Structures are given as C-alpha cells and as structure tokens.
Amino acid sequence: MENFIKEPTPEEAKKLIESINKEESLCIRIPYNVDAILAASLIIKYMESPSAISFSSSNCELEFSEKEEGKFVRFKNTQVFIGNSSFSSIIPITTEDILPILTGISSSVVLERRNFSDWELSIMKNSENLGITIEKNLKIPSYHDAPIFLSLIESFDPYIPTVTGSRENAIALINEIGIDELSKLTELNEGALNTLIFKIVSLIMKINPKVTRDDIITDRIFYLNYDSLELAFSFIYFLDTIGSKILVDFALNQSIARILINKFREIIGKGFSIGSITEDKKFFIVDSNLKSPTLLQLILLQTQKVRKDKPIVIKDGNKLLTSRYFINTEKEGLIEVEGRD
C-alpha cells in the first residue's frame, strides 16, 4: 500500500473517461454497487464497439476500485485517485443521463454515510441550467411530492426509531403535531416544521444521544420532480432484489425511473418491521420483512447493532437470504445462503 496518497483529482479521471470512447472494445471491472454499475453502464452506452462489464475479470482495460484510502480509476497503465467521490460523478453529464448520474452519486453518499464531496457539489451546481436544484432541508426522501408520512416511512438514514417503516406511527406523529395526513413537508409553516424537526431529533436521540438538528439537515439534490435520495434508496433496493440488469436498463432509458420509484413507494409504504438480530461466524441474521439486506444494514449501522465488515442476511421462514452486494457469487437478486455457528 502506498504510504502517501496525493490529493484526489476526479477532474483527471473525467478526462480519462472522455478519452476512451475511441477504443475498439472495452471491458470494465467494477465493484457490485449501484454507483459503479450505473457509471460503467453509461460509459458502455456510448461505445461504438462491443463492450462489457465484469465484477471479477482481472484482464479489463478499465477498472473502478474501492480501497481503504478511497476510490481509484485505472485505464490501462494510468491510475487516478478520486478520493471519496462517486464513480458516477466523473461521467460527463447530459440531460439524457442526469437521473442515472444523480442516482449513482447519491447512492454512493448514502452507502458510505458521508456528505457530498466538493467535486460532486460542483458538478451539480454547474448543472443547475439543466434543471438540477440544490436545497438545504430535512434528509427525508421526496418531500416535494409525497405526503410527509410516506417520506418518514422511507427515512432509512436517518433512521427514525418507531417511525421508519411504520405507516401507523408515521401518521400518528404528524397527527400529533396537527398536520393533515396528506400534507407535504413543503406546505408546512415554520412552527409546524420546527416541531416536526424537534420530534424527529428527540426520537433519534434514543439511539444516538449526540444527534442535533444540523445532523438531519443537509444538501438535498433534485432534478425536476425527482429526489436523488429517493432514487438512491429505490435502486439500492432493486439491485438487492432484482440484480444489476435493472440498473443497466435505467442507464439506457432513464424514463423507467418513475415506474420503479412508484413501485418502491408501494412496497415500502405498506410498512416493514425489524425483529431479532443474531450473529453467527459468517453473518448477522435479521428477522425482517424488508427484503433488502443493504437497506437493513444501513438502518442497523445507525443503531450500532451490526458491523459493516460482516454480511447481512434476512431470515425468511426457514430460508436465509442475502444480496450479491455482500458475498462473492455469480447469482443476483436475493440469494439463499447457509448460516453456520
């Protein structure tokens, strides 16, 4: 491992990516996550020659890699360090590709539990003329066009104890404040908004006594009526449950985003529960009807009940199910595994 890593240069990686479309063919080796899959799919979208994505081949000309010190992009003998910025943020942005790029960036931010990098924010600020808007507001999804109770149910990070995943408790919380069930966050007056924020912070303090108002107010990125946070949650879920093909399809045709978001809202809006958590030598086994091991890990890391270095599996009757995100396998969708003590 290098003893010293220079400053990240994502702008150099962007130039590298822009230069490769002249290649006769291309293999891209990537990690199995939303950001890397979308970035690679967008590169291949504009290649004129046959190209492929690999999660394992060591002979690819282009490689995205994640190491302890950050992310790297290697093309043939040239390697560029991009720090914690997402792979999607080095893809040239166009109106046709905005949604996949925003989804990749936001999913990287979500899964790494970090703020947007300066590079990512600069990309989005420079794209405001394309329809991107940046706001400072609550870190709950889709507060412009979804009822507040649904935004609260979908709040995976921050996880709001007793409210995230519970339709009944989310509605009870907003009724307690005197808010109509179908109201949107943007329709609240200052008093109601401050009361809601106070309630959310008070609930989160049960698992994180150090949480403050500033921890749940952050940069929020929107494109037209799409929320990048909800896009990230949705495609993390569908990568777990369907596999990478859905992301490749999305990169090729961003119009499917609304269909998938509506499906995600329908599934999550019914509510979900998290029961017992047990640990064996290989896994954390979670009794839950939320069929996304990755989103479950995101929640449980906040409650400090799991470690990031150990895979999550879902107990589904007599089956144990996980995602390719956690294990080395050729299978996709929810994968049955065996637990051993």
Side-chain angles (χ1 to χ4, degrees), residues 261-310:
I261 285 174
N262 288 341
K263 182 64 176 176
F264 180 73
R265 288 183 182 181
E266 178 187 340
I267 293 167
I268 302 301
K270 294 176 182 177
F272 61 86
S273 60
I274 302 174
S276 63
I277 304 166
T278 56
E279 182 179 7
D280 68 11
K281 288 184 178 180
K282 297 195 297 184
F283 307 116
F284 284 103
I285 301 169
V286 184
D287 189 356
S288 178
N289 59 346
L290 173 59
K291 301 308 180 190
S292 172
T294 312
L295 289 177
L296 277 172
Q297 184 191 61
L298 184 63
I299 290 172
L300 295 173
L301 285 170
Q302 296 170 72
T303 67
Q304 300 180 351
K305 292 182 178 180
V306 301
R307 303 191 314 273
K308 193 164 188 177
D309 61 352
K310 200 164 193 178

Side-chain angles (χ1 to χ4, degrees), residues 216-247:
I216 63 171
I217 305 240
T218 186
D219 289 308
R220 304 288 279 102
I221 312 298
F222 295 85
Y223 173 63
L224 303 178
N225 62 336
Y226 293 96
D227 174 8
S228 67
L229 183 62
E230 187 176 39
L231 282 164
F233 290 153
S234 300
F235 281 93
I236 290 168
Y237 178 90
F238 289 118
L239 180 60
D240 274 352
T241 56
I242 297 175
S244 58
K245 185 181 183 301
I246 197 69
L247 292 169

Side-chain angles (χ1 to χ4, degrees), residues 247-261:
L247 292 169
V248 176
D249 290 345
F250 175 41
L252 296 176
N253 178 14
Q254 63 178 3
S255 67
I256 69 173
R258 180 52 60 190
I259 297 170
L260 293 172
I261 285 174

Side-chain angles (χ1 to χ4, degrees), residues 96-122:
E96 186 177 344
D97 300 328
I98 282 180
L99 285 181
I101 289 172
L102 287 187
T103 302
I105 293 172
S106 192
S107 67
S108 174
V109 168
V110 164
L111 292 181
E112 293 159 30
R113 307 205 60 232
R114 61 175 175 85
N115 295 322
F116 292 102
S117 70
D118 291 341
W119 167 257
E120 289 166 337
L121 282 174
S122 71

